[in-house]
Amino acid sequence: MIVDCAIYRDGRRTEGPEDFSDALDQARAVGDAFVWIGLHEPTAKEFDQVSQEFGLHPLAVEDALKAHQRPKLEVYDDSLFMVLKPVVYEPDSDTVSSGEVMIFMGDSFVVTVRHGEGAPLGVVRHRLEADPDVLKHGPTAVLYSIADASVDHYLEVADELQSDLEVLEAEVFSPDGGASSRNTASRIYTFKRQILEFRRATGPLALPVARLSGVGPFSPSVPFVDETAQPFFRDVNDHLTRVNESVEGLDRLVSDILSAHLAQMSVRQNDDMRKISAWAAMAAVPTMIAGVYGMNFDHMPELHWWWTYPAVILLMAVLEVVLYRMFKRRGWL
């Protein structure tokens, strides 16, 4: 559905016709104005009207309707199409979920399409409307503000993930090695999946933002984007680089924590096996002696001596004490 439709002139919202096609004609007639239409999970019928009026490319329209796209930047003859994946971190369930924002830019218009609840563009619109000096730069200001808000939120999510990982790390490397929690390995693996979901949103965005910022091999300007905005996009690119470095570090660290946890489990299992083996060895000695004297032969050494029974019991006790002290000294018990 269409959430909002407005004409902006000289950085300020103005009253205009309710029909967005008339609004676009009016903005182009004025010359220094643009139309910003915001849609939330539009139907094919709703978006078909918009795409026809603004001349959007059918491939970009298909991507905007189906969603589930990677972050990207595509330039067509009459418009620019960019996909962002804002993320939301839910601390109660320790899960990362992502939405999608598609941005169409062209001559005197911006069309934003939002999927999911992770991208409240209303906040960005209100912030821009409160800052006419930024909004007067036209559609480029809208593109920059949405990208900047998304990447800044990436930094917040990365910090929250870092805090949760520190808690998980302290649990794994506690004195009991996480033995009190049977699902520690499952929690670590789930956390790694959340980092993967986060990386799917931040990693592919590096190339589009670098292209908008004009750095490296992407120095040529992008059509429909004001060249004076490149320093601002470079700032977004710097923040995104920090996010990607943080995500890379989190992924390596959680892999190391999982390996350390599995190693601790293996060591504990070896300790348990040594203890079992030690007790089995201690039980084998009296069993062997008792087995020898339980064979019921008539001709056996010292079988009818009156002190044989206490001597055998004493021998068993001495051997048990010797074995116990030996295993204890070696750390098996």
Side-chain angles (χ1 to χ4, degrees), residues 156-188:
E156 297 174 7
V157 173
D159 290 340
E160 292 177 350
L161 287 172
Q162 180 66 43
S163 299
D164 285 352
L165 184 59
E166 290 173 358
V167 174
L168 188 60
E169 183 179 17
E171 178 184 330
V172 171
F173 291 103
S174 61
D176 63 352
S180 59
S181 178
R182 296 183 178 180
N183 61 342
T184 301
S186 176
R187 287 181 55 200
I188 297 174

Side-chain angles (χ1 to χ4, degrees), residues 7-8 21-35 52-56 78-79 105-110 224:
I7 299 176
Y8 296 91
S21 59
D22 295 336
L24 179 61
D25 292 337
Q26 180 176 325
R28 286 175 173 171
V30 173
D32 60 347
F34 72 96
V35 180
Q52 289 182 4
E53 290 293 338
F54 290 89
L56 306 180
D78 300 324
S79 62
M105 278 180 52
D107 181 18
S108 303
F109 74 86
V110 178
F224 308 108

Side-chain angles (χ1 to χ4, degrees), residues 93-167:
S93 57
D94 295 338
T95 57
V96 174
S97 59
S98 60
E100 289 187 42
V101 173
M102 285 80 169
I103 306 169
F104 295 87
M105 278 180 52
D107 181 18
S108 303
F109 74 86
V110 178
V111 177
T112 55
V113 182
R114 179 167 62 95
H115 291 270
E117 300 299 328
L121 294 183
V123 176
V124 177
R125 187 188 287 263
H126 293 154
R127 186 164 58 238
L128 276 173
E129 290 178 352
D131 193 355
D133 291 338
V134 175
L135 191 55
K136 70 181 181 181
H137 290 89
T140 301
V142 177
L143 178 64
Y144 161 73
S145 297
I146 295 175
D148 184 57
S150 298
V151 173
D152 284 348
H153 190 60
Y154 289 162
L155 289 170
E156 297 174 7
V157 173
D159 290 340
E160 292 177 350
L161 287 172
Q162 180 66 43
S163 299
D164 285 352
L165 184 59
E166 290 173 358
V167 174

Side-chain angles (χ1 to χ4, degrees), residues 223-234:
F224 308 108
V225 177
D226 191 347
E227 290 186 12
T228 59
Q230 287 186 347
F232 297 93
F233 282 110
R234 281 197 289 272

